[in-house]
Amino acid sequence: MLRLVKLNRELKKLRLKLNFDKNILEIKNMDGVIQSLQNFIHEHVYDNFRKRGIVIGISGGIDSALAVKLCCSTVGKENVLGIILPEKESNLQSQEFAKKYCEKLSIKYEIEDLTSILDSSEIYQTREKIVEKYFPDYNQSCKYRLVFSENFNNDGLSIPYLEVNDENKQIHKIKLSPNDYTTITAATNIKHRIRMTRLYFHAEKNNFLVCGTTNKAEFQLGYFVKYGDGGVDIEPLANLYKTQIYQLGRYLDIPNEIIERKASPDTWSFDVSDQEFFYSLPYEIVDLMLFAKEKSVTLNDICSTLDLKEERVKRILSSLERKWKASKTLRVFPPSWNNKDIL
């Protein structure tokens, strides 16, 4: 009993030292963090993988902008190749911002339009067939996207909806059947996997490695595609929260147009944010909740710091836990048969 009391006291001291507040994720030692990231990249490029340089997909967003900036400062801009991979449903800003940023960094870059590859794989046809099933008036003037509605004030369950923006700019929100949801998702994920194959073509051609751009929230909650954007050689940003990536981006003078652009998967003709598509929460809340979960911050401290009711916090934590468990297999190598007692 005395040991338990002592343990509780120690835990209380640790919580007091943590001082959980909205600024807990502020990076105090920018130069030290940047140097550590550069050391990580350098070690893996030259000592572990023994490659000549780095290939990285440039999306026009903050994650890839920070990653490529770190790569340039580590191995030299002459040893970095940026790959821009638009297709007919991409936001036009993606290619525009990506191209401008590559030119700002003075790195070599390639632009490859993936529309014909995706078209030959019937990705567009598969998705549009489902859209037409739910919205018979669909035509090529319409735009569509997948969104998730997660009510943290009620049950906290995540429900997928198809949203169609018709030719008159009217938005129609339609609930999908489980089978149609998995089919449209499977087709969409091929976009990520095709991107990965093009990155590795250029990497192997040049004896470079592929650098990933997944941040901590994406990695922990499974917001990436296995053998798609998760198919890379190194992930320098996987232990950085999105809010910390913005901090580093500002410190390293990444253009405001990239920093201020809303984060998006950029796989739908009707533009959708990460918040609408996956989290149902802004990154500021997602990051703090993930940190609180990881550090075992008390419910009371979370509620008071974020000004949220206890039931809402519980539902958010439950959602994060559910996403983490559902995506566990994405973060490990495929299991292999143990022949120790047989052969």
Side-chain angles (χ1 to χ4, degrees):
M1 185 65 180
L2 288 174
R3 287 181 181 177
L4 184 59
V5 171
K6 187 176 180 181
L7 178 60
N8 286 333
R9 284 176 181 166
E10 292 300 318
L11 288 172
K12 188 175 182 180
K13 286 180 184 177
L14 287 172
R15 285 196 291 269
L16 288 172
K17 288 178 183 177
L18 184 61
N19 191 26
F20 181 68
D21 59 37
K22 289 184 178 180
N23 297 317
I24 193 73
L25 298 179
E26 182 181 339
I27 299 174
K28 301 294 195 298
N29 181 12
M30 286 286 189
D31 291 331
V33 169
I34 291 167
Q35 184 62 60
S36 181
L37 286 163
Q38 291 171 332
N39 291 344
F40 168 84
I41 294 168
H42 189 279
E43 177 186 352
H44 284 286
V45 173
Y46 296 117
D47 299 336
N48 187 14
F49 285 86
R50 297 181 181 276
K51 299 295 185 180
R52 294 176 49 249
I54 300 169
V55 163
I56 183 168
I58 311 296
S59 68
I62 183 63
D63 294 334
S64 65
L66 176 62
V68 72
K69 180 93 173 185
L70 291 168
C71 290
C72 288
S73 62
T74 302
V75 302
K77 63 185 180 183
E78 66 279 7
N79 297 314
V80 176
L81 175 63
I83 307 296
I84 303 169
L85 300 168
E87 42 97 7
K88 72 176 186 179
E89 292 183 322
S90 299
N91 186 316
L92 294 177
Q93 275 191 339
S94 298
Q95 180 176 330
E96 177 193 346
F97 287 4
K99 183 174 180 290
K100 282 169 62 177
Y101 191 57
C102 287
E103 290 172 351
K104 177 181 173 66
L105 294 176
S106 299
I107 64 169
K108 295 178 184 176
Y109 65 91
E110 303 269 357
I111 300 176
E112 294 186 13
D113 193 308
L114 301 181
T115 301
S116 61
I117 298 175
L118 295 169
D119 203 24
S120 67
S121 301
E122 299 189 344
I123 303 308
Y124 303 118
Q125 299 93 315
T126 300
R127 302 200 318 171
E128 289 172 6
K129 185 176 179 181
I130 292 173
V131 175
E132 289 169 359
K133 173 181 172 181
Y134 290 89
F135 188 72
D137 293 332
Y138 175 81
N139 58 54
Q140 291 302 308
S141 299
C142 299
K143 307 292 183 183
Y144 64 94
R145 65 186 182 184
L146 204 62
V147 298
F148 282 83
S149 178
E150 194 159 1
N151 187 353
F152 296 113
N153 292 319
N154 192 359
D155 53 23
L157 295 177
S158 187
I159 302 170
Y161 286 91
L162 173 70
E163 284 192 347
V164 181
N165 192 357
D166 69 21
E167 56 191 346
N168 297 314
K169 307 304 179 187
Q170 295 294 311
I171 298 175
H172 307 264
K173 189 172 184 177
I174 310 155
K175 187 177 178 180
L176 290 174
S177 72
N179 184 63
D180 287 329
Y181 161 67
T182 55
T183 301
I184 203 169
T185 299
T188 303
N189 286 348
I190 291 176
K191 291 189 176 189
H192 295 282
R193 292 180 175 124
I194 293 296
R195 291 172 184 171
M196 179 273 292
T197 64
R198 300 310 301 162
L199 295 181
Y200 271 97
F201 167 75
H202 289 284
E204 293 180 1
K205 173 184 172 184
N206 292 283
N207 194 25
F208 284 10
L209 63 69
V210 176
C211 178
T213 62
T214 303
N215 62 59
K216 185 163 185 172
E218 292 170 335
F219 185 73
Q220 291 290 327
L221 301 179
Y223 187 25
F224 62 92
V225 175
K226 192 171 188 177
Y227 308 125
D229 48 341
V232 296
D233 294 318
I234 60 171
E235 287 282 17
L237 309 184
N239 282 306
L240 286 169
Y241 293 98
K242 186 79 169 188
T243 45
Q244 293 175 325
I245 286 172
Y246 282 116
Q247 292 173 48
L248 287 164
R250 292 186 185 94
Y251 187 77
L252 292 173
D253 293 323
I254 288 174
N256 283 333
E257 64 183 11
I258 292 177
I259 291 175
E260 293 170 3
R261 188 184 182 201
K262 72 177 181 181
S264 168
D266 200 19
T267 50
W268 304 92
S269 56
F270 185 11
D271 200 26
V272 62
S273 69
D274 287 351
Q275 179 175 340
E276 294 164 321
F277 180 71
F278 187 77
Y279 297 109
S280 297
L281 293 164
Y283 271 112
E284 292 81 0
I285 299 296
V286 173
D287 286 353
L288 287 169
M289 292 294 287
L290 278 174
F291 177 87
K293 178 177 176 291
E294 183 179 304
K295 302 297 183 182
S296 301
V297 176
T298 65
L299 271 175
N300 185 58
D301 285 346
I302 298 173
C303 294
S304 60
T305 298
L306 302 183
D307 194 24
L308 298 173
K309 292 182 179 179
E310 184 173 313
E311 281 307 308
R312 182 173 172 83
V313 169
K314 285 181 178 178
R315 289 189 178 108
I316 293 172
L317 288 171
S318 177
S319 173
L320 297 180
E321 182 70 13
R322 188 165 59 246
K323 286 184 169 85
W324 180 79
K325 286 181 177 178
S327 62
K328 282 178 73 172
T329 56
L330 300 181
R331 292 183 290 273
V332 296
F333 282 111
S336 58
W337 171 59
N338 187 347
N339 67 350
K340 182 178 179 181
D341 298 325
I342 304 296
L343 294 177

